[in-house]
Amino acid sequence: TGKGWMSEHLVQYQGFWLSPKGLNNLMWIQHHFKPRPSDIFLASFPKTGTTWLKALVFATVNRTRYGFSDHPLLTANPHDCFPFLDAYLHENDPSFLELDASPTPRLLSTHLPYALLPDSMIVNRSSSCRFVYIYRDPKDVLVSKWNFLSKLRPKELPPFSLEEAFELFCQGISHYGPYWDQVLGYWKASSEFPENILFLKYEDLKEQPLAVVKRLGEFLGYPFSLEEENKGVVEDIVKLCSFENLSNLEVNRKSVHKFSRDSLVDNRHFFRKGIVGDWKNCLTDEMIKRLNQITSDKLFGPGLLFDN
Ligand code: A3P
């Protein structure tokens, strides 16, 4: 075991770090979850853009169901429209029943590394369920995560320093980490099964949201028609899911999200700055050098690079 970011003990399981609760959830999924061929999974390491991508996938898949003036994303946090498979599904939890009754395609998300997914979810030649994976410059992931967890940290605990967070992150000790190993697992799977696993980068989404959303539509089996494109539907989705729009909605300023019976998070904490390169304002030259080195050692081979 190792001491986690929130002072709780994380356990190492098959090379990855999970909280004891996360491990229980994994066991639950292994034994009880039955994927359907139409399922759409969003996989990510925490703080890589999960909330944003949930909104984009939800809006893309459901675009004929809802109008843009009374869209669910205007009154609900994206996490409430797109549940976490590994965060709040327990055998006796009513959400388990909702999962069975939820409409097709089911939208489910996970922070689990690909190697820990149950066999029933692993992609093979005959599977038709789809995964969208998002990754992000680890320097921004670290900064985002440290800010997020500092806000959630119980007041009675001493503040958690960036130096401490940095050290643990570099050693791979963080929920669902090591980060680089998680990225590599999904990358390998996506290069073997590109029709089932779409590999996206937060920085590309920031730079070219329209192109990425069009690709998302096509990949998920909901391609945008020429008529839709001419009507500006892709632009409308990008606008609806923009940082400015989502972070300013009342639901994301005032309400909380219930991840599980005992974990509540203010919706506003999912929206901080939403930019590329905030690490430049927070990390020392030494930290930058060390993180870049780990990243190039691990991800240079597959060509998963970032602007330094
Ligand atoms: P920052 O802390 O760098 O601002 P996750 O959803 O995986 O927890 O990731 C959270 C990160 O995504 C935060 O990054 C958050 O601000 C950013 N984010 C949330 N919504 C976004 C949006 N609509 N557009 C761009 N970034 C967004």
Side-chain angles (χ1 to χ4, degrees):
T1 65
K3 199 161 163 246
W5 291 44
M6 297 290 277
S7 255
E8 87 284 46
H9 279 269
L10 296 182
V11 285
Q12 202 174 22
Y13 181 74
Q14 298 185 2
F16 290 94
W17 292 94
L18 300 172
S19 66
K21 203 167 111 201
L23 189 60
N24 273 343
N25 288 338
L26 172 62
M27 296 304 142
W28 183 89
I29 294 171
Q30 301 250 3
H31 292 110
H32 298 279
F33 176 62
K34 290 190 187 56
R36 292 180 194 155
S38 55
D39 284 343
I40 293 175
F41 299 111
L42 192 167
S44 65
F45 188 87
K47 311 329 283 176
T48 53
T50 317
T51 315
W52 186 17
L53 194 54
K54 280 189 179 189
L56 288 168
V57 171
F58 181 87
T60 298
V61 166
N62 291 305
R63 66 184 184 270
T64 54
R65 251 175 98 187
Y66 305 116
F68 287 102
S69 56
D70 56 354
H71 201 281
L73 285 169
L74 295 172
T75 49
N77 177 275
H79 292 291
D80 293 323
C81 301
F82 201 138
F84 269 108
L85 183 57
D86 40 326
Y88 73 109
L89 298 176
H90 301 274
E91 215 171 342
N92 300 317
D93 191 314
S95 54
F96 170 46
L97 302 173
E98 280 165 32
L99 182 70
D100 261 350
S102 65
T104 301
R106 293 189 301 186
L107 304 180
L108 297 166
S109 84
T110 182
H111 284 321
L112 286 171
Y114 192 71
L116 298 192
L117 295 178
D119 287 348
S120 58
M121 282 173 77
I122 291 288
V123 171
N124 57 41
R125 257 163 251 301
S126 60
S127 52
S128 57
C129 62
R130 292 189 168 86
F131 281 83
V132 184
Y133 183 77
I134 186 160
Y135 75 113
R136 184 183 189 189
D137 186 332
K139 300 192 288 303
D140 277 330
V141 175
L142 166 70
V143 169
S144 180
K145 197 173 165 174
W146 176 67
N147 275 289
F148 182 72
L149 292 185
S150 298
K151 282 176 205 146
L152 301 191
R153 198 166 167 89
K155 297 272 175 289
E156 57 277 14
L157 293 178
F160 182 53
S161 73
L162 181 57
E163 289 69 26
E164 231 178 309
F166 170 80
E167 194 50 48
L168 288 172
F169 189 72
C170 287
Q171 290 177 25
I173 307 175
S174 59
H175 295 85
Y176 311 100
Y179 174 67
W180 300 271
D181 296 18
Q182 198 204 78
V183 174
L184 277 174
Y186 281 97
W187 177 80
K188 282 189 192 137
S190 81
S191 42
E192 199 179 343
F193 296 106
E195 266 122 65
N196 296 79
I197 305 181
L198 180 67
F199 204 70
L200 298 178
K201 182 165 151 185
Y202 179 92
E203 291 75 8
D204 291 343
L205 200 44
K206 283 294 289 186
E207 203 176 303
Q208 296 194 306
L210 296 176
V212 176
V213 170
K214 273 193 237 171
R215 200 162 147 228
L216 202 52
E218 205 155 303
F219 170 80
L220 295 172
Y222 294 82
F224 292 92
S225 66
L226 204 55
E227 196 191 338
E228 283 181 304
E229 284 193 30
N230 290 339
K231 270 172 46 193
V233 175
V234 188
E235 279 86 349
D236 286 341
I237 289 177
V238 168
K239 220 182 288 166
L240 174 73
C241 303
S242 70
F243 182 86
E244 290 65 33
N245 187 56
L246 292 184
S247 59
N248 282 317
L249 294 173
E250 181 151 328
V251 63
N252 291 324
R253 286 189 289 116
K254 303 233 168 95
S255 312
V256 290
H257 175 73
K258 190 167 183 260
F259 268 117
S260 64
R261 260 171 284 222
D262 51 0
S263 111
L264 296 174
V265 177
D266 281 358
N267 279 342
R268 72 192 142 92
H269 293 334
F270 295 108
F271 307 93
R272 191 182 63 95
K273 288 193 173 177
I275 58 168
V276 172
D278 192 36
W279 54 268
K280 290 177 191 149
N281 305 316
C282 311
L283 302 183
T284 64
D285 287 350
E286 215 166 295
M287 287 171 161
I288 295 167
K289 215 169 132 204
R290 183 153 159 219
L291 273 175
N292 282 347
Q293 188 60 49
I294 302 174
T295 304
S296 76
D297 287 350
K298 296 250 190 181
L299 304 184
F300 181 79
L304 305 172
L305 301 175
F306 305 93
D307 290 337
N308 290 316

